[in-house]
Amino acid sequence: MQTFSKIVSTTALAVSLMLGIASVAKAEQKTEFKVAWSIYVGWMPWGYAADHGIVKKWADKYGIKIDVTQFNDYVESMNQYTAGTFDAVTLTNMDGLSIPAAGGVDTTAVIVGDFSNGNDAVILKDKTSLADIKGQNVNLVQFSVSHYLLARALDSIKLTERVVKVVNTSDADMVAAYKTPDVTAVVTWNPLVSTILEDPTAKKVFDSSQVPGEIIDLMAANTNVLKDNPNFGKALVGIWYETAALLRGDTTEGKAAREAMGSASGTDLKGFEAQLAATKLFDKPADAVAFTASPNLPKTMDLVRNFLFEKGLLGNGAPSADVIGIEMPDGKVQGDASNVKLRFTDTYMKAAADGSL
């Protein structure tokens, strides 16, 4: 079963920092753009759109060319974007801050595509209460959104990470690890969650639906490239909303699209639809605009940046979580206003909502 790694590693961060400012995507008016994406339920529309002419349709509308490339290694896609090889990339809000932004690349979230609403989970073996996690080894991808979910889960019952021991485990090894007697607690994401929960000993005790809107999946672009080429942003949102509407449609074409996306992600229609059900997909631009403009987004990013600072993932010697500025759609900045490197905008999504693409 094909999966991807929503992982922030110290090695990846180091690479990002080395590649950062010196080699960011060159900002200028241009006609050809490169987009990187990785396998995940909320990002499957990008591969489908590329394969079925939707990318070309919207690129042609704006007189540009967009090449869409799938990466099996999520971290590598972000490193390539940070190095300037790609103009845009699919990533989570947390990873956008810890890799390209921390690597010095000014990055804008063009599309807020979805948030995990149950796709990420804490699972215990033969235990039914989250409190039973105390004293256990917990297998997860260290510094990933799984690590963040563990922290949020523990906080919900007034505990800290000190009561457990994190065991760094690759997502590729997670299912096999759970089957061993020594592994009694895991935190991971779909489709691994679904596979592990097929074991009668596996009990889900916490999932991302209990922290809604915190694990956000984005299409992000180099800010300077976007500034010089606004039609690139317009084409991206056009591609997204046409494909997302098809994906959600209760039609023969919609079912065929879901089957194709499921197959491409290593599962079947039933498995893909189960993952989709645990995802809050923003297939309507007005809903995405409302979510992005909500006062909840700054609160979420404050949680995320403090988690990353505590883990040492905002750069060597970062004095506080304020080291990187995060700009919200209303122009307000969280953190250092003189070092804004991650931006949320609703400009392009509003254009889709207003029918002005």
Side-chain angles (χ1 to χ4, degrees):
M1 181 174 290
Q2 191 175 23
T3 63
F4 84 113
S5 295
K6 276 186 174 178
I7 172 177
V8 180
S9 68
T10 52
T11 301
L13 181 60
V15 172
S16 297
L17 290 171
M18 288 189 292
L19 294 175
I21 299 172
S23 55
V24 296
K26 189 177 180 182
E28 59 185 9
Q29 289 188 337
K30 56 184 187 175
T31 58
E32 295 190 12
F33 303 88
K34 296 176 68 177
V35 175
W37 72 282
S38 302
I39 295 289
Y40 176 66
V41 59
W43 294 330
M44 297 311 298
W46 293 103
Y48 183 89
D51 292 342
H52 291 79
I54 300 173
V55 170
K56 185 178 186 303
K57 169 188 170 181
W58 283 92
D60 286 350
K61 177 174 181 175
Y62 291 103
I64 61 178
K65 181 180 179 183
I66 300 176
D67 291 323
V68 177
T69 301
Q70 177 191 328
F71 277 74
N72 292 328
D73 185 329
Y74 174 54
V75 170
E76 182 60 19
S77 73
M78 291 186 290
N79 284 338
Q80 289 288 329
Y81 163 77
T82 302
T85 307
F86 287 83
D87 301 291
V89 63
T90 55
L91 41 65
T92 68
N93 54 323
M94 189 175 91
D95 298 336
L97 182 58
S98 66
I99 294 188
V105 179
D106 195 328
T107 295
T108 295
V110 180
I111 302 167
V112 175
D114 71 88
F115 63 77
S116 176
N117 199 31
N119 270 318
D120 300 75
V122 180
I123 299 171
L124 300 185
K125 186 175 288 181
D126 290 323
K127 302 288 185 181
T128 58
S129 170
L130 176 59
D132 292 325
I133 201 170
K134 190 174 181 180
Q136 295 200 46
N137 290 341
V138 182
N139 293 67
L140 52 76
V141 178
Q142 195 172 29
F143 305 137
S144 70
V145 290
S146 294
H147 203 155
Y148 174 79
L149 187 68
L150 172 66
R152 296 292 285 127
L154 290 170
D155 183 63
S156 75
I157 54 173
K158 310 301 182 186
L159 295 176
T160 69
E161 199 176 312
R162 288 192 296 270
V163 305
V164 299
K165 179 181 179 181
V166 168
V167 179
N168 189 22
T169 307
S170 165
D171 58 321
D173 298 330
M174 197 67 68
V175 174
Y178 182 81
K179 293 178 181 177
T180 63
D182 292 342
V183 174
T184 59
V186 300
V187 188
T188 190
W189 53 79
N190 266 322
L192 305 178
V193 167
S194 296
T195 301
I196 292 171
L197 288 176
E198 290 172 1
D199 190 313
T201 68
K203 312 296 180 185
K204 181 171 67 174
V205 295
F206 192 90
D207 68 34
S208 51
S209 69
Q210 292 165 263
V211 286
E214 293 188 19
I215 300 175
I216 311 169
D217 299 309
L218 311 169
M219 170 59 78
N222 180 286
T223 299
N224 293 323
V225 169
L226 198 61
K227 181 180 178 181
D228 288 347
N229 302 275
N231 283 346
F232 176 47
K234 292 178 182 179
L236 289 175
V237 297
I239 293 162
W240 172 258
Y241 289 113
E242 178 172 338
T243 314
L246 179 64
L247 168 65
R248 299 294 267 178
D250 186 19
T251 62
T252 301
E253 293 80 6
K255 181 180 178 182
R258 292 189 294 276
E259 284 180 326
M261 292 183 209
S263 177
S265 62
T267 186
D268 56 14
L269 177 62
K270 182 180 179 181
F272 186 73
E273 289 184 337
Q275 293 175 42
L276 201 56
T279 306
K280 174 56 179 176
L281 190 79
F282 292 117
D283 54 313
K284 295 180 176 61
D287 293 341
V289 169
F291 176 83
T292 308
S294 164
N296 289 328
L297 182 61
K299 294 176 184 177
T300 291
M301 292 311 299
D302 191 47
L303 289 168
V304 167
R305 70 190 188 123
N306 278 289
F307 170 82
L308 292 172
F309 173 68
E310 289 165 8
K311 300 300 178 186
L313 296 172
L314 291 181
N316 292 331
S320 74
D322 286 331
V323 67
I324 297 171
I326 305 169
E327 185 179 86
M328 299 299 160
D330 62 1
K332 291 180 181 178
V333 175
Q334 193 174 64
D336 188 350
S338 67
N339 187 41
V340 175
K341 295 299 180 187
L342 183 63
R343 304 170 193 266
F344 288 89
T345 182
D346 55 13
T347 300
Y348 298 95
M349 296 183 294
K350 273 185 176 178
D354 297 342
S356 58
L357 288 180

